[in-house]
């Protein structure tokens, strides 16, 4: 039996009417002859509420207990979804991550999937049931409940689609698909028909929250066809595939803005082998995720080292830097907690020139100062003041015609 995985995000399950309408969509797919595995997120803002409850009692809750708590949002959704299907006359069964042996490592609140036992799901599908799986959660080898990081239900869905060899993984959300940039920030953003894994990986890692980055990683590794679409209409959404767009002249396919960032600079570190290794080993030990590392030699004796982090990691990063700065003979530490990153992404950049110049020109015209610049083969990122982030994104989108369909773009 061909299988389709259908994942419904929080807004698509916010109330009884929305759960019913999601259930009807599932039934339609079942009636078309597919085995359907539903992956459900917590309803509406339930995860945020649970986190707020935790923080009211303890500003620094043990991460194990946090996962034990926030995984309950998904558990509510799956049972309600199964009940809705039952009320419509369809046989459904819901499972938690643990019940389908979604085994993860033990990194609470940001666990990584190690294995999935597809047998239990297959046997339920074969007995004619619709299977509903709680997104975002798994268990570690010691049977502790773990979660995959905010937005992680996408990853559950794509990982399941890979494990079940599903024909397609449909991600139902509150927008029509992947846009050139977040349509809630730049309302003239354009929906794409398709985007390749590499571009989507970059966009997700740079703040396009529409897809969880590790979901895209699984998609790429196991070649899962991912279809991102709106749960509120029948429109065709965006397909994430391995095919790169062959449209000549389209160099930049999307833009992103990532707020809630911080930057730490270590000024005047001793310019000797091993110092960068020491600093980043220490940050890794503190479980701080680091991006956009820039190191520059400023003299024979000294170098400057800076990197970006999410603001939620700032306290841990500051502490780690304070502990290690003496060892690397650092003269000063410079911290910015009011920074955002605006980026452009496109596989076409590999073979075209002039993209950086156009981006910097657009920012200059919008009177946005660039704090630092980092690039990869298929992206350019500029750190800017957080309060100029939205203006910066809009200026960049207009410069690259991201308000027009790809075939109408003239400016490269
Ligand atoms: P869900 O609860 O369905 O998982 P999310 O809030 O995680 O939904 O993702 C959908 C949101 O992602 C949209 O409402 C949109 O604001 C945001 N988003 C950010 N970047 C993009 C983009 N490039 N294309 C589409 N949506 C985007
Ligand atoms: N409920 C989780 C969150 O809000 C996971 C998800 O929605 O994908 O982050
Ligand atoms: Mg999401």
């Amino acid at each position: 039996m061909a299988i389709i995985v259908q994942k419904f995000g929080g807004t698509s399950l916010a109330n009884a009417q929305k759960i019913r309408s999601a259930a009807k969509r599932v039934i339609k797919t079942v009636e078309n002859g597919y085995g359907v595995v539903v992956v459900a997120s917590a309803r509406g803002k339930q995860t945020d509420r649970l986190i707020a409850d935790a923080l009211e009692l303890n500003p620094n809750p043990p991460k194990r207990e946090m996962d034990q708590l926030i995984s309950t949002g998904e558990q509510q959704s799956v049972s309600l979804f199964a009940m809705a299907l039952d009320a419509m006359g369809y046989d459904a069964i819901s499972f938690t991550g643990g019940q389908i042996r979604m085994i993860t490592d033990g990194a609470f609140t940001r666990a990584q999937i190690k294995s999935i036992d597809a047998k239990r799901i297959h046997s339920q599908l074969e007995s004619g049931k619709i299977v509903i799986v709680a997104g975002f959660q798994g268990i570690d080898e010691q049977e502790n409940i773990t979660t995959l990081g905010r937005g992680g239900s996408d990853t559950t869905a794509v990982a399941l689609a890979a494990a079940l060899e599903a024909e397609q993984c449909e991600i139902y959300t509150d927008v029509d698909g992947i846009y050139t940039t977040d349509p809630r920030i730049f309302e003239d953003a354009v929906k794409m028909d398709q985007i390749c894994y590499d571009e989507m990986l970059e966009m997700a890692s740079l703040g396009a929250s529409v897809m969880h980055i590790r979901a895209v990683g699984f998609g790429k590794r196991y070649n899962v066809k991912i279809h991102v679409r709106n749960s509120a209409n029948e429109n065709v959404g965006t397909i994430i595939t391995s095919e790169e767009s062959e449209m000549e002249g389209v160099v930049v396919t999307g833009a992103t803005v990532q707020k809630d960032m911080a930057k730490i600079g270590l000024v005047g570190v001793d310019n000797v082998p091993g110092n960068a290794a020491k600093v980043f080993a220490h940050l890794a030990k503190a479980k701080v995720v680091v991006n956009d590392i820039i190191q520059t030699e400023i003299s024979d004796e000294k170098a400057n080292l800076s990197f970006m982090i999410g603001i939620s990691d700032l306290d841990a990063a500051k502490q780690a830097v304070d502990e290690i700065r003496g060892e690397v003979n650092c003269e000063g530490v410079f911290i910015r907690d009011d920074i955002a990153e605006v980026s452009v992404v496109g596989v076409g950049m590999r073979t075209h020139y002039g993209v950086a110049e156009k981006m910097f020109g657009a920012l200059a015209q919008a009177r946005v100062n660039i704090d630092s610049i980092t690039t990869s083969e298929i992206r350019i990122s500029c750190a800017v003041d957080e309060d100029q982030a939205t203006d910066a994104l809009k200026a960049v989108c207009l410069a690259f015609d991201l308000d027009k369909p790809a075939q109408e773009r003239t400016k490269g």
Side-chain angles (χ1 to χ4, degrees):
M1 183 190 348
I3 296 171
I4 289 193
V5 175
Q6 298 187 317
K7 179 255 168 179
F8 293 91
T11 41
S12 307
L13 301 171
N15 54 38
Q17 192 205 328
K18 288 193 173 176
I19 295 181
R20 257 188 230 112
S21 109
K24 280 187 195 145
R25 203 179 276 272
V26 170
I27 289 170
K28 211 165 137 190
T29 314
V30 169
E31 295 300 339
N32 284 335
Y34 288 98
V36 179
V37 176
V38 174
V39 173
S41 290
R43 305 167 72 202
K45 299 252 170 278
Q46 180 66 354
T47 311
D48 292 338
R49 277 195 293 271
L50 291 168
I51 292 171
D53 285 350
L55 296 180
E56 210 181 326
L57 288 165
N58 183 341
N60 194 14
K63 289 202 157 78
R64 179 190 182 279
E65 300 312 321
M66 201 64 181
D67 277 355
Q68 187 88 345
L69 176 71
I70 60 180
S71 59
T72 60
E74 273 68 16
Q75 204 171 326
Q76 293 174 358
S77 300
V78 288
S79 40
L80 289 168
F81 207 110
M83 289 174 198
L85 283 165
D86 177 77
M88 293 172 177
Y90 285 79
D91 220 359
I93 181 164
S94 69
F95 291 119
T96 62
Q99 286 168 331
I100 55 147
R101 311 296 303 162
M102 168 83 70
I103 307 293
T104 70
D105 62 18
F108 296 115
T109 74
R110 49 172 73 155
Q112 306 230 19
I113 298 172
K114 288 166 77 176
S115 62
I116 301 172
D117 182 2
K119 277 197 254 58
R120 191 159 188 190
I121 298 179
H122 275 305
S123 72
Q124 294 294 335
L125 289 173
E126 273 150 28
S127 71
K129 289 200 173 68
I130 300 168
V131 177
I132 327 286
V133 178
F136 179 53
Q137 57 179 268
I139 48 168
D140 68 10
E141 309 275 6
Q142 285 75 43
E143 310 259 329
N144 296 300
I145 296 178
T146 54
T147 64
L148 308 180
R150 298 301 309 268
S153 296
D154 297 333
T155 297
T156 306
V158 180
L160 274 177
L164 295 164
E165 296 178 14
E167 196 172 292
Q168 164 161 195
C169 181
E170 296 181 338
I171 305 285
Y172 285 97
T173 184
D174 58 359
V175 286
D176 274 5
I178 315 283
Y179 283 68
T180 47
T181 195
D182 188 341
R184 292 191 204 288
I185 302 180
F186 179 60
E187 61 184 28
D188 293 331
V190 178
K191 196 207 81 180
M192 305 181 208
D193 294 333
Q194 74 172 60
I195 181 168
C196 69
Y197 295 121
D198 285 338
E199 287 172 327
M200 194 61 231
L201 272 173
E202 286 281 3
M203 284 186 67
S205 79
L206 297 167
S209 55
V210 60
M211 277 300 288
H212 197 232
I213 179 165
R214 292 215 304 279
V216 190
F218 267 105
K220 180 176 174 177
R221 190 159 355 125
Y222 297 102
N223 208 15
V224 178
K225 182 176 168 194
I226 304 172
H227 184 179
V228 181
R229 54 195 307 197
N230 200 327
S231 59
N233 61 44
E234 297 294 321
N235 299 348
V236 174
T238 304
I239 306 286
I240 310 178
T241 94
S242 54
E243 281 163 45
E244 293 183 2
S245 166
E246 280 168 10
M247 202 115 39
E248 266 302 315
V250 175
V251 180
V252 167
T253 42
T256 59
V257 60
Q258 203 170 12
K259 296 183 180 167
D260 299 328
M261 303 287 288
K263 183 178 148 180
I264 299 190
L266 280 78
V267 183
V269 171
D270 272 358
N271 189 11
V272 293
N275 272 352
K278 274 187 200 152
V279 170
F280 291 106
H282 211 68
L283 285 159
K285 217 166 89 193
K287 297 204 161 71
V288 174
V289 180
V290 173
N291 289 306
D292 296 342
I293 298 168
I294 304 177
Q295 177 170 302
T296 333
E297 204 175 61
I298 49 170
S299 68
D300 283 349
E301 293 80 36
K302 290 286 181 185
N304 290 346
L305 184 60
S306 73
F307 54 88
M308 304 271 283
I309 51 174
I311 199 101
S312 57
D313 279 341
L314 183 55
D315 287 341
K318 264 194 219 160
Q319 197 185 329
V321 166
D322 276 343
E323 285 164 6
I324 200 76
R325 59 180 291 187
E327 256 188 71
V328 296
N329 230 354
C330 162
E331 290 170 345
V333 175
F334 175 69
I335 296 176
R336 282 199 66 179
D337 59 3
D338 57 348
I339 210 157
E341 191 168 65
V342 174
S343 308
V344 294
V345 171
V347 289
M349 277 184 218
R350 287 185 190 133
T351 48
H352 286 73
Y353 55 85
V355 182
E357 177 202 345
K358 186 178 283 183
M359 180 170 184
F360 305 154
L363 292 175
Q365 221 177 2
R367 308 206 62 74
V368 172
N369 189 46
I370 303 173
D371 173 286
S372 51
I373 300 164
T374 43
T375 62
S376 81
E377 208 186 9
I378 64 165
R379 68 129 168 165
I380 301 172
S381 300
C382 294
V384 301
D385 284 359
E386 191 164 25
D387 56 14
Q388 287 192 302
T390 302
D391 288 345
L393 178 76
K394 288 181 181 166
V396 166
C397 285
L398 292 174
F400 289 101
D401 276 350
L402 296 181
D403 55 339
K404 297 193 177 77
Q407 31 323 342
E408 288 172 29
R409 281 180 215 153
T410 51
K411 298 180 196 161

